[in-house]
Amino acid sequence: MSYPQVSATGRGDVPASPRFPEVEEAVLAYWESDDTFRASVEQRESGPGGSNEFVFYDGPPFANGLPHYGHLLTGYVKDLVPRYQTMRGRRVERRFGWDTHGLPAELEAMRLNGIKTTDEILELGIEKFNEACRASVMKYTGEWREYVTRQARWVDFDNDYRTMNADYMESVIWAFKQLHDKGWVYEGFRVLPYCWNDETPLSNHELRMDEGTYRNRQDPAVTVGVRLTSGEHEGALALVWTTTPWTLPSNLAVMVGEDIDYVVVEKDGSRYVLAEARLGAYERELGEAEVVARTTGAALAGSTYDPPFSYYRGHENAFRVVTAEFVTTTDGTGLVHTAGAFGEDDKVVTDREGIEAVMPVGKDGRFTAPVAEYAGMQVFDANAHIIDDLKAGTGSVTPGTVLLRRETYDHSYPHCWRCREPLIYKGVSSWFVEVTAFKARMAELNQQINWVPEHVKDGQFGKWVENARDWSITRNRFWGSPVPVWRSDDEAYPRLDVYGSFAELERDFGDLPRDRDGNPDLHRPFVDELTRPNPDDPTGRSTMRRVTDVLDVWFDSGSMSFAQVHHPFENEDWFEGHFPADFIVEYMAQTRGWFYTLHILATGVFDRPAFENCISHGIVLGSDGEKMSKSLRNYPDVSEVFDRDGADAMRWFLMSSPILRGGNLVVTEQGIRDGVRQVLIPLWNSWYFFALYANAAGHEATPTTASSDPMDRYLLAKTREYVEATTAQLDAYAVADACDSTRGFLDVLSNWYIRRSRERFWATGSQGGQVDEAAFGTLATVLDVLCRTTAPLLPLVSEEVWRGLTGGRSVHLADWPDAEELPADPALVSAMDQVRAVCSATSALRKAEQLRTRLPLSSLTVVVPDPATLEGFEPIVADEVNVRAVRLLAADSEEAASYGVAQRLTVNARAAGPRLGRDVQSAIKGSKSGDWSVAEDGTVTSGGLALVEGEYTLETVAEAAEEGTALGVLPGGGFVVLDTRVTPELAAEGLARDVVRAVQQARRAAGLDVSDRVRLVLGGSEGARAAAEAHADLVAGEVLATSYSVTAEPVDGESATLADGESVTIRLERA
Ligand SMILES: [Zn+2]
């Protein structure tokens, strides 16, 4: 037997530095042929009533676009957590889902058919159009599958769910009916953000989803005077200001603030009314005007005026000054033009005032009758014409109306997240879910959800729920789940029926909606074809017809928790055990999207949350910190990264980053490579080391945890702590923390245990020593446990290493390691960790003092609170940092005090400021004057104020060390003092060790095997020769020289430069 026991690559050896992408491709091919994924699900029992299942809901992506980094990131989490839970023994089914309806699909179908408007869709025919939609949405499923498979995400594509399937849609209309029956669905005319280009309203949460929806835009702003026709200031011009001149033809009222102070000013015979606070802003036009009167909003209210345009002259209750609480004097004139149907607040006020909204703008955003002059013009295009008419008093401008000012105005303005055109606010008829009726319950149920990061619960999500508005769920479009409402087409005989199943439809209509092949299908136009006589109409003339709208796609995806299994029509038992989900994950903005709509529907329909744990991650940014952009090429190409560094490297980069703690992440190639260096290479090197020496010794390791060697015991106990930590972290969905633990553990394994234990593995086989079974057994145990722990984090490379080590089928079929099976030794771990800290601090000192490690130094003094814990470890420290003597000293001893080491407190004003306010100055003063202390429990008090973690840094600082020493502080208390004086004798040994290194390099260059003996002749500079002679035994022993001479004669061989300007010349041959 030799290692690897098996390899997916088919290689018989363990390469020293493999191409990870090649290893990955081989593992992926193995998984496919072995059907490992299915086995990993199947080998775990569901348990009674599904009690052993871990339920994961896949948030469905749109399938008519290619996957991007965001999907990649989410996909890794969607893989990692289920892999972990599987190893913990749970059964985790993973079904891929597709979001198939809605605008993305319709826009693509329109593009393919070369059409631009909904009228053209009707001309083409809804059936043909929807066929095109259906074809377009599954266009990239192949690419998705390849991409997801390459990233090593295990998910069932064959048994996927699609929101356009008849079963799924039946569950969707069932949910609509549930809400309707509870009285939480209503039809209303409301002002909504509206895309004139896509001819559809958007819901408010769609506006808040994407950071790109609010963008800067320049609009014309006008200040218009309308003539007051009654009241105390009759004849004066009330000045209104608007950035939507196109809404002026629909003006219905002027709003003022009840308590705002207004002035009437006179200039050139005209009087103007505006807020006193805004007078200064009109310096240019009204600078010399004289204030002739003062008034308030309350006094102005009730005055009538002539509308700026005459289209709606005589409109009932209109053209009055009314009060509204949201009027401010931050910009404009303090008088606000209102057009009822084109602003959310406007609509509230005109409703209150009994003014019926007017709507001279069509669904395409173009003017209609009676606004004759601009009919057919898109509203933004009409702005310029309207302003021209206002200026000239032409068209239908009411005589006496004045254009006081026109300007351009830069503001942040909402755009369509789909087509990027600027939105308008427009009154539309829509059906709503009355979220406001049960949002208090949503807030209560939200408290049952564990959010990662935690602040999302009462922050981004909680606040959004608290301020929830009713949800506009219908779209006057084509490709979607139908609004299941049939209505009488004669108002004289009203009737409204809501359907929640195929069976109900069949009962009333005698048949199901069917496609041309006869299959039940709830899509338009088939569902629209179901009509019947109105049972409430004795004349028999009116007909029940479906409301033609379709449902918002977010209603589809929000129904996923029950619709994916066709609840309540099928899988009743399954559903009971699988709702709510244990776990979902998407990016942060889904707090206004999918997380939100899932929660609305789960609360409204089931009075339960839809999910128990939710990771809400940040977004990935390009290497320049900006949004990723194909045209800017500001991010590494995914395929290139897969081919160069591998999918595990990418997974590690994303999973270990702040992005899973809710922060955003800049993607750089360097960051990805750092992960390879910090994790993949140490993991592989540890395995390579093990395999190399086990094979050299012809030894098959027997895993053991019984070694008595202190290094082995330390490593095993450290492994136990590592398993405990990662288990707790992954149980808490703290993925990045688990990555931190793994990185730290790999450092211990490769940079401490293996490096310091090399000789125990070397001293075997050909060199005549005994195989150190304890060392091999320990390392085999640790590698096995390590791979099982890294399996969810690095699934591909862990698989190759684990199978090579154990010969097993798959690490993903193995159980998560049990920390209890490893020995605990907290005292040893703590002591050795301190030893490592001492060595690391000392190495840092050497680096700073430019004293190379090969140069021996005379002594190191280690000052710690409890030196007894380090007794016995001095030889390890001495060897590791190359000093002759290590001295332990108690931190509270007199000698320790003589080093002048102290703690320093720094208050972080930026962190403490928000909490402490002005008191932060007292805390800072205290930290500087020494008026501060650390209590037993660690509480830091400064200037009489207790500080909390993060608001300060506490560091140990040393006074300038005494000549000939260097001083470094240890994390967690204590410090080290290194004697930096180099005697001639120490210098000579250092040189001799440089010579050893030069000879070792020469041996490798000559292609010698590590165990080959050599005959060696050394020449070179005088100092080097002297050192090589003085330390002949050391040099000869280290380089396995059977004959050894140093000569002043020229030597024919390789030269090498050593420290201190010395050099050596080496001639060697195999003995
Ligand atoms: Zn749009």
Side-chain angles (χ1 to χ4, degrees):
M1 204 282 305
S2 70
Y3 296 99
Q5 297 211 38
V6 284
S7 166
T9 63
R11 284 179 69 133
D13 64 338
V14 178
S17 37
R19 284 206 62 240
F20 288 118
E22 272 172 28
V23 172
E24 293 186 352
E25 299 274 6
V27 171
L28 291 169
Y30 168 72
W31 283 350
E32 172 147 23
S33 66
D34 180 65
D35 210 1
T36 323
F37 170 40
R38 193 175 309 272
S40 83
V41 176
E42 295 302 327
Q43 76 169 13
R44 308 293 180 179
E45 297 293 334
S46 287
S51 57
N52 192 44
E53 294 199 34
F54 179 84
V55 182
F56 161 70
Y57 289 165
D58 193 9
F62 279 114
N64 80 331
L66 287 166
H68 57 66
Y69 260 92
H71 297 120
L72 185 76
L73 164 66
T74 317
Y76 277 131
V77 190
K78 289 177 175 181
D79 182 68
L80 191 155
V81 171
R83 269 188 207 272
Y84 168 68
Q85 292 291 344
T86 300
M87 293 180 77
R88 289 295 300 275
R90 310 284 294 276
R91 182 183 178 93
V92 195
E93 311 247 1
R94 279 154 270 180
R95 291 177 71 198
F96 203 86
W98 299 106
D99 207 355
T100 55
H101 283 146
L103 270 187
E106 290 200 18
L107 294 180
E108 178 68 4
M110 287 166 81
R111 196 182 62 78
L112 292 173
N113 282 287
I115 54 179
K116 291 207 157 52
T117 66
T118 49
D119 288 338
E120 287 172 313
I121 293 173
L122 291 170
E123 253 168 61
L124 178 74
I126 296 175
E127 186 176 350
K128 207 166 163 206
F129 179 72
N130 277 356
E131 261 171 40
C133 290
R134 182 189 289 275
S136 90
V137 291
M138 300 315 280
K139 188 166 165 190
Y140 294 111
T141 50
E143 282 84 349
W144 271 87
R145 189 172 183 147
E146 267 173 39
Y147 183 92
V148 166
T149 303
R150 179 61 187 92
Q151 82 170 113
R153 177 178 169 201
W154 275 353
V155 60
D156 186 352
F157 274 99
D158 298 326
N159 184 30
D160 59 8
Y161 73 85
R162 301 175 183 191
T163 58
M164 64 182 181
N165 286 355
D167 286 352
Y168 193 101
M169 291 168 71
E170 187 179 22
S171 294
V172 168
I173 63 167
W174 170 81
F176 181 99
K177 187 169 187 220
Q178 294 291 304
L179 293 171
H180 188 268
D181 289 351
K182 292 182 182 185
W184 288 335
V185 171
Y186 68 92
E187 188 183 18
F189 182 82
R190 285 256 311 269
V191 175
L192 293 171
Y194 184 88
C195 180
W196 46 272
N197 184 48
D198 296 328
E199 302 187 2
T200 179
L202 305 177
S203 50
N204 281 298
H205 67 255
E206 282 176 293
L207 225 56
R208 295 288 168 183
M209 277 282 298
D210 186 342
E211 309 210 333
T213 50
Y214 273 86
R215 293 208 308 272
N216 274 343
R217 179 180 154 83
Q218 262 195 353
D219 276 306
V222 292
T223 305
V224 175
V226 293
R227 186 83 55 191
L228 294 175
T229 53
S230 69
E232 198 188 334
H233 305 290
E234 185 177 340
L237 287 159
L239 293 178
V240 297
W241 177 82
T242 179
T243 57
T244 50
W246 62 266
T247 60
L248 285 169
S250 315
N251 173 278
L252 295 173
V254 168
M255 302 186 283
V256 293
E258 194 163 2
D259 299 324
I260 294 175
D261 293 320
Y262 292 86
V263 289
V264 183
V265 299
E266 187 167 333
K267 187 186 175 188
D268 302 335
S270 291
R271 282 176 299 142
Y272 303 91
V273 184
L274 74 169
E276 183 171 17
R278 300 303 302 165
L279 189 54
Y282 285 88
E283 177 78 27
R284 183 153 47 89
E285 293 85 358
L286 304 175
E288 283 128 43
E290 185 190 345
V291 176
V292 296
R294 292 176 189 277
T295 182
T296 64
L300 284 169
S303 308
T304 55
Y305 66 90
D306 270 341
F309 288 84
S310 60
Y311 304 116
Y312 295 104
R313 199 176 257 287
H315 195 73
E316 197 178 352
N317 292 332
F319 315 123
R320 287 179 296 127
V321 177
V322 300
T323 58
E325 59 192 23
F326 53 82
V327 175
T328 69
T329 55
T330 49
D331 51 19
T333 59
L335 293 101
V336 179
H337 139 74
T338 173
F342 299 110
E344 289 178 283
D345 292 334
D346 304 45
K347 181 71 168 44
V348 172
V349 170
T350 50
D351 282 356
R352 184 193 71 199
E353 296 292 329
I355 307 170
E356 199 185 326
V358 297
M359 177 48 67
V361 174
K363 62 184 181 177
D364 54 358
R366 292 173 190 278
F367 275 108
T368 57
V371 181
E373 279 88 353
Y374 316 115
M377 272 184 212
Q378 202 277 338
V379 294
F380 289 114
D381 296 339
N383 273 336
H385 301 278
I386 288 169
I387 296 170
D388 286 348
D389 282 335
L390 282 166
K391 189 172 181 206
T394 47
S396 296
V397 172
T398 309
T401 304
V402 167
L403 177 70
L404 185 73
R405 177 192 285 184
R406 64 185 295 181
E407 59 199 314
T408 50
Y409 187 70
D410 289 308
H411 53 165
S412 173
Y413 193 84
H415 291 70
C416 176
W417 62 281
R418 213 14 92 183
C419 72
R420 300 289 167 198
E421 292 289 352
L423 299 171
I424 60 176
Y425 280 82
K426 182 179 181 305
V428 288
S429 274
S430 176
W431 291 73
F432 292 85
V433 172
E434 196 179 0
V435 179
T436 47
F438 57 89
K439 70 179 183 182
R441 182 61 181 154
M442 286 171 67
E444 273 172 27
L445 292 175
N446 177 34
Q447 292 306 314
Q448 296 175 17
I449 299 170
N450 171 41
W451 289 90
V452 180
E454 207 190 334
H455 60 75
V456 176
K457 176 187 283 191
D458 294 319
Q460 197 144 347
F461 190 73
K463 293 226 154 48
W464 184 253
V465 168
E466 200 178 297
N467 296 312
R469 288 189 267 184
D470 290 349
W471 174 19
S472 145
I473 51 166
T474 56
R475 303 287 181 265
N476 192 4
R477 299 288 316 189
F478 305 94
W479 177 240
S481 296
V483 174
V485 176
W486 273 252
R487 185 155 47 192
S488 160
D489 61 5
D490 185 349
E491 282 176 22
Y493 301 100
R495 182 184 167 95
L496 189 131
D497 295 319
V498 177
Y499 294 88
S501 68
F502 277 119
E504 289 168 13
L505 288 170
E506 190 165 33
R507 180 198 63 208
D508 280 3
F509 295 95
D511 196 8
L512 294 178
R514 293 181 189 279
D515 66 16
R516 294 292 166 252
D517 299 324
N519 301 311
D521 189 342
L522 280 166
H523 283 106
R524 301 184 72 186
F526 317 116
V527 71
D528 301 336
E529 288 163 6
L530 293 186
T531 58
R532 63 173 184 142
N534 176 2
D536 294 345
D537 177 2
T539 69
R541 276 196 291 265
S542 66
T543 304
M544 299 301 292
R545 297 184 191 280
R546 195 183 74 82
V547 166
T548 56
D549 291 357
V550 296
L551 289 168
D552 180 7
V553 281
W554 291 100
F555 199 98
D556 280 354
S557 54
S559 301
M560 171 273 170
S561 63
F562 49 91
Q564 67 162 338
V565 289
H566 198 203
H567 175 87
F569 306 101
E570 280 180 81
N571 303 309
E572 259 324 71
D573 294 347
W574 189 95
F575 183 75
E576 280 312 308
H578 292 75
F579 181 93
D582 286 295
F583 169 66
I584 62 173
V585 53
E586 297 294 337
Y587 81 124
M588 190 68 84
Q590 297 290 5
T591 48
R592 280 119 187 229
W594 190 55
F595 299 153
Y596 179 59
T597 56
L598 271 178
H599 194 57
I600 292 176
L601 292 175
T603 305
V605 177
F606 301 101
D607 195 33
R608 275 192 274 173
F611 47 92
E612 290 175 351
N613 297 284
C614 177
I615 294 182
S616 174
H617 61 69
I619 56 169
V620 277
L621 301 171
S623 51
D624 52 2
E626 299 293 320
K627 216 172 170 173
M628 286 192 164
S629 146
K630 254 185 203 150
S631 55
L632 291 176
R633 304 179 62 87
N634 62 349
Y635 58 91
D637 180 80
V638 175
S639 307
E640 277 173 27
V641 173
F642 283 165
D643 292 346
R644 188 188 53 230
D645 305 309
D648 276 2
M650 178 68 103
R651 177 184 297 234
W652 182 268
F653 172 68
L654 295 171
M655 296 300 96
S656 63
S657 76
I659 205 159
L660 290 189
R661 299 178 174 122
N664 294 339
L665 175 68
V666 171
V667 175
T668 60
E669 295 190 9
Q670 186 55 43
I672 296 164
R673 286 197 203 113
D674 284 347
V676 175
R677 191 170 48 75
Q678 292 170 351
V679 179
L680 283 169
I681 290 177
L683 171 62
W684 189 271
N685 282 355
S686 304
W687 158 234
Y688 169 74
F689 174 87
F690 170 87
L692 179 69
Y693 289 102
N695 287 345
H699 178 65
E700 181 176 356
T702 309
T704 174
T705 57
S707 173
S708 59
D709 177 275
M711 271 303 207
D712 291 347
R713 305 229 38 94
Y714 168 68
L715 181 66
L716 290 164
K718 192 79 183 164
T719 308
R720 178 188 166 110
E721 288 189 359
Y722 165 59
V723 171
E724 284 169 346
T726 44
T727 306
Q729 287 156 343
L730 291 177
D731 279 349
Y733 301 89
V735 175
D737 292 352
C739 290
D740 286 348
S741 299
T742 300
R743 185 164 37 217
F745 179 77
L746 277 166
D747 187 46
V748 169
L749 174 62
S750 64
N751 284 333
W752 187 256
Y753 176 82
I754 289 181
R755 199 167 48 72
R756 293 213 49 80
S757 308
R758 273 179 201 283
E759 289 181 8
R760 295 172 59 207
F761 292 88
W762 281 346
T764 54
S766 55
Q767 291 176 48
Q770 281 289 311
V771 170
D772 190 333
E773 293 192 18
F776 279 107
T778 299
L779 186 52
T781 301
V782 170
L783 283 172
D784 166 38
V785 171
L786 173 63
C787 286
R788 282 188 283 145
T789 315
T790 56
L793 306 173
L794 302 164
L796 294 161
V797 175
S798 300
E799 178 79 312
E800 176 70 3
V801 173
W802 187 84
R803 294 187 65 230
L805 177 72
T806 64
R809 180 175 168 193
S810 171
V811 70
H812 302 286
L813 300 176
D815 286 339
W816 184 256
D818 179 0
E820 295 296 319
E821 288 169 10
L822 295 157
D825 194 339
L828 175 61
V829 168
S830 153
M832 191 73 87
D833 283 349
Q834 196 162 23
V835 165
R836 289 171 53 228
V838 164
C839 294
S840 150
T842 309
S843 300
L845 287 180
R846 275 184 170 274
K847 210 168 185 181
E849 301 281 324
Q850 297 184 313
L851 296 164
R852 66 196 190 283
T853 309
R854 280 192 300 280
L855 174 67
L857 293 171
S858 61
S859 78
L860 177 75
T861 306
V862 179
V863 186
V864 286
D866 187 5
T869 57
L870 294 185
E871 267 166 32
F873 292 98
E874 297 97 322
I876 294 181
V877 176
D879 184 59
E880 178 70 13
V881 302
N882 198 13
V883 295
R884 297 262 166 90
V886 171
R887 223 157 52 92
L888 300 175
L889 197 61
D892 57 3
S893 65
E894 232 170 85
E895 192 190 338
S898 72
Y899 288 105
V901 171
Q903 279 197 309
R904 181 168 67 197
L905 178 76
T906 315
V907 177
N908 180 347
R910 193 181 290 181
R915 191 178 68 85
L916 293 178
R918 264 185 219 155
D919 285 347
V920 75
Q921 291 306 332
S922 314
I924 291 171
K925 218 183 228 172
S927 72
K928 287 184 175 157
S929 66
D931 175 22
W932 62 273
S933 60
V934 184
E936 284 275 311
D937 66 354
T939 307
V940 172
T941 308
S942 180
L945 294 158
L947 302 176
V948 300
E949 209 161 322
E951 293 179 349
Y952 62 86
T953 46
L954 196 55
E955 43 188 350
T956 308
V957 288
E959 311 262 298
E962 153 187 359
E963 182 68 23
T965 64
L967 198 148
V969 297
L970 296 170
F975 57 97
V976 291
V977 184
L978 180 66
D979 187 338
T980 55
R981 285 166 300 187
V982 180
T983 62
E985 193 250 327
L986 291 171
E989 188 186 328
L991 268 181
R993 290 192 182 275
D994 289 344
V995 169
V996 169
R997 180 160 186 273
V999 175
Q1000 300 287 29
Q1001 267 174 356
R1003 285 181 55 114
R1004 273 196 295 276
L1008 297 182
D1009 197 80
V1010 283
S1011 54
D1012 284 339
R1013 304 300 195 261
V1014 294
R1015 280 190 291 273
L1016 182 63
V1017 179
L1018 297 174
S1021 63
E1022 200 179 330
R1025 281 186 281 115
E1029 265 172 357
H1031 295 279
D1033 288 352
L1034 170 88
V1035 180
E1038 290 279 334
V1039 304
L1040 306 180
T1042 51
S1043 105
Y1044 180 84
S1045 62
V1046 180
T1047 172
E1049 302 294 312
V1051 174
D1052 177 20
E1054 293 289 318
S1055 277
T1057 308
L1058 310 178
D1060 306 330
E1062 305 286 346
S1063 64
V1064 65
T1065 314
I1066 301 157
R1067 192 175 81 216
L1068 58 76
E1069 55 198 33
R1070 191 175 288 141

